Amino acid sequence: MTDFPADHSAASGAAGRSLLKVGERTRKRNAAEKRFRMMGLAAVVFGILALFGLMASILSNGLSSFNQTYIELDVYLDPAVLDKGGNRAPEDLGRITTFTIQPLIKAAVQDLIDETGVSAEGVDANDAFELISKEAPADLRRFVLNNPDQIGETVSFDLLASGRIDGYYKGRVTMESAALDRNISPEQLELADRLKAEGVLETRFNWAFFTAPDASDTRPEAAGLGVAILGSAYMMLIVLVLALPIGVAASIYLEEFAPQNRFTDLIEVNIANLAAVPSIVFGILGLAIFINFAGLPQSAPIVGALVLTLMTLPTVIIATRAALKAVPPSIRDAALGVGASKMQAIFHHVLPLAAPGILTGAIIGLAQALGETAPLLLIGMVAFVREYPAAPPEGFFDPASALPVQVYNWTQRGDPAFVERASGAIIVLLVFLLIMNAVAILLRRRFERRW
């Protein structure tokens, strides 16, 4: 029987080290691990701070776009100006122009000043008229054409204030900057303050930001996302109808039915490569095939949707194949063992279990497509569009815009009010993306099964 020393330190002394003492190499390993953990924590903190900084910048610049300044004005729709014939004929009313409407608004402004007694030194009726947006005559013209029976009456309108007045109450315009601005003067701002004190001018939530079309460079206060939201909705509908069934069908065939040979290996490699291709390449492809070759109209949602479908398909296929692979082989074997055909085993057992991953991949692909800008610029969706597309299916071929393209358009314009509008559009786009990702998470949790 072997005798062991009573003192373990004596046993370890021969080796020159002790289990109870931390050696130099151990200290170095522990220090390296600590440094690595600190670097990882610093990277996480930096990422969170960068995210908060980005969101703070977007929110600080864009939240004000959801409010708008309006002027309440009672306008007399003079029949001697609007309907000289007195017959309310649509062809006669169609000749009304915005220049015809302007004198009526100026007269209403003068009446407002006379009734309230509000005035500012050096500001006449023409200067007071400049407090109102240039979109106001067009709004009144549309009202008259849609309500010819109102001609001859005094109608109360909530008209948009000009971009400078709106910017004054949002902090973009000051008395000092107005003194150097040819579009507004400090005296006009003083008149606006007095009108606000009288309750004639007020700032409230801007529902028109979600429904109005784009506006010209001189009317930033009238610009909205209506056409862009509708165009994006049309494109996402087409992408969903095309990308989901095609991508799922291709994935099922490649994963469950296709033989393993060089040809299928080549297809898998190309699918993986297509997922990494820059989106602008798909835009060039869409321009060459769908517009130059197939003759489809530019700026149409159908073209944008086809391009985004090509771009989304690799993502859907990869996500679907991963979901199918995650289903245990025992599920297939059990189905086949009780007499089911291979197709029955796939569609009755494997596909329902893979549904959460498939739906998640599809929604993430759609979210990626919703935020793409470069391919849409190449197919002409950068064009200025004010008319709403018709209802489907005709509307798929009408000119339209998209949310990311609208953001790009507004950032290219010189008026600071468009920068505010662009930040507001980014907020709307981020909300849509968050909703889509939340839906993906909920669907995964709702349909997820454990085995």
Side-chain angles (χ1 to χ4, degrees):
M1 184 173 178
T2 305
D3 293 331
F4 293 95
D7 189 359
H8 68 275
S9 61
S12 61
R17 59 181 182 273
S18 172
L19 296 176
L20 299 181
K21 295 182 179 180
V22 179
E24 184 65 24
R25 294 179 60 185
T26 303
R27 280 196 295 269
K28 289 182 178 180
R29 288 199 303 267
N30 292 341
E33 180 182 352
K34 186 176 181 180
R35 287 194 300 269
F36 180 78
R37 293 174 61 183
M38 293 300 296
M39 287 189 292
L41 180 61
V44 172
V45 172
F46 177 79
I48 294 175
L49 292 177
L51 176 62
F52 276 109
L54 175 64
M55 295 303 299
S57 174
I58 294 174
L59 293 176
S60 62
N61 291 325
L63 284 178
S64 57
S65 63
F66 298 103
N67 293 322
Q68 193 67 41
T69 305
Y70 293 86
I71 296 178
E72 184 180 355
L73 200 62
D74 296 330
V75 182
Y76 175 60
L77 304 179
D78 191 351
V81 177
L82 301 175
D83 187 23
K84 297 180 180 180
N87 52 13
R88 304 296 193 271
E91 58 272 12
D92 293 338
L93 295 178
R95 299 189 184 98
I96 297 175
T97 65
T98 55
F99 295 103
T100 307
I101 301 290
Q102 285 183 6
L104 302 181
I105 300 178
K106 289 182 179 180
V109 171
Q110 184 63 60
D111 293 340
L112 174 65
I113 293 175
D114 295 340
E115 291 174 6
T116 60
V118 174
S119 62
E121 183 180 354
V123 179
D124 56 17
N126 290 328
D127 295 329
F129 173 72
E130 293 180 358
L131 303 182
I132 301 174
S133 169
K134 295 180 180 178
E135 186 72 13
D139 290 339
L140 263 67
R141 180 180 182 275
R142 285 190 289 269
F143 178 84
V144 170
L145 296 179
N146 294 328
N147 304 275
D149 56 311
Q150 297 286 321
I151 295 178
E153 300 181 6
T154 299
V155 182
S156 179
F157 293 94
D158 286 335
L159 302 178
L160 287 168
S162 68
R164 293 296 193 274
I165 297 298
D166 182 60
Y168 174 59
Y169 292 108
K170 294 177 179 178
R172 291 195 313 270
V173 178
T174 62
M175 290 290 182
E176 292 75 15
S177 65
L180 306 174
D181 194 339
R182 64 179 182 179
N183 295 315
I184 198 69
S185 66
E187 292 76 18
Q188 288 173 309
L189 296 181
E190 292 177 4
L191 177 61
D193 284 335
R194 294 171 185 175
L195 290 174
K196 191 176 183 67
E198 291 289 332
V200 177
L201 188 147
E202 65 173 344
T203 301
R204 59 175 184 267
F205 191 79
N206 181 22
W207 290 106
F209 183 63
F210 302 98
T211 59
D214 195 8
S216 64
D217 292 354
T218 59
R219 307 173 185 181
E221 65 280 355
L225 293 171
V227 175
I229 292 176
L230 199 56
S232 291
Y234 282 1
M235 287 192 297
M236 291 304 102
L237 178 62
I238 299 174
V239 172
L240 178 63
V241 170
L242 294 179
L244 184 59
I246 295 175
V248 172
S251 301
I252 293 175
Y253 175 76
L254 290 173
E255 191 63 31
E256 304 292 343
F257 295 99
Q260 295 297 319
N261 52 38
R262 292 184 178 180
F263 180 70
T264 55
D265 290 343
L266 180 64
I267 292 176
E268 293 177 3
V269 170
N270 280 294
I271 290 174
N273 289 336
L274 285 174
V277 170
S279 59
I280 195 169
V281 176
F282 289 98
I284 296 173
L285 179 66
L287 177 64
I289 296 178
F290 300 127
I291 294 178
N292 295 339
F293 179 74
L296 293 175
Q298 292 186 5
S299 300
I302 184 66
V303 180
L306 291 174
V307 172
L308 295 179
T309 298
L310 294 177
M311 192 190 71
T312 306
L313 269 175
T315 302
V316 175
I317 292 174
I318 292 173
T320 302
R321 293 192 66 186
L324 293 173
K325 286 180 181 178
V327 178
S330 58
I331 302 293
R332 299 172 178 83
D333 296 339
L336 295 174
V338 297
S341 66
K342 189 167 185 177
M343 181 169 290
Q344 287 175 326
I346 298 303
F347 284 91
H348 294 176
H349 300 278
V350 176
L351 200 57
L353 294 176
I358 295 173
L359 293 174
T360 301
I363 294 175
I364 291 175
L366 289 175
Q368 179 187 2
L370 178 63
E372 286 294 339
T373 308
L376 302 182
L377 297 179
L378 289 178
I379 63 172
M381 295 198 79
V382 70
F384 178 80
V385 180
R386 274 193 59 85
E387 299 297 327
Y388 292 93
E394 293 84 1
F396 294 151
F397 298 88
D398 291 340
S401 184
L403 281 173
V405 176
Q406 194 65 71
V407 173
Y408 172 81
N409 275 337
W410 284 344
T411 57
Q412 301 303 304
R413 301 184 186 179
D415 197 305
F418 281 113
V419 177
E420 173 198 79
R421 284 293 199 270
S423 299
I426 291 174
I427 295 174
V428 174
L429 182 59
L430 289 176
V431 169
F432 278 117
L433 294 177
L434 288 175
I435 292 174
M436 295 178 73
N437 282 278
V439 169
I441 295 173
L442 292 176
L443 288 175
R444 174 176 285 277
R445 292 185 176 180
R446 172 65 178 83
F447 294 105
E448 190 173 20
R449 300 182 185 180
R450 297 185 180 275
W451 45 75

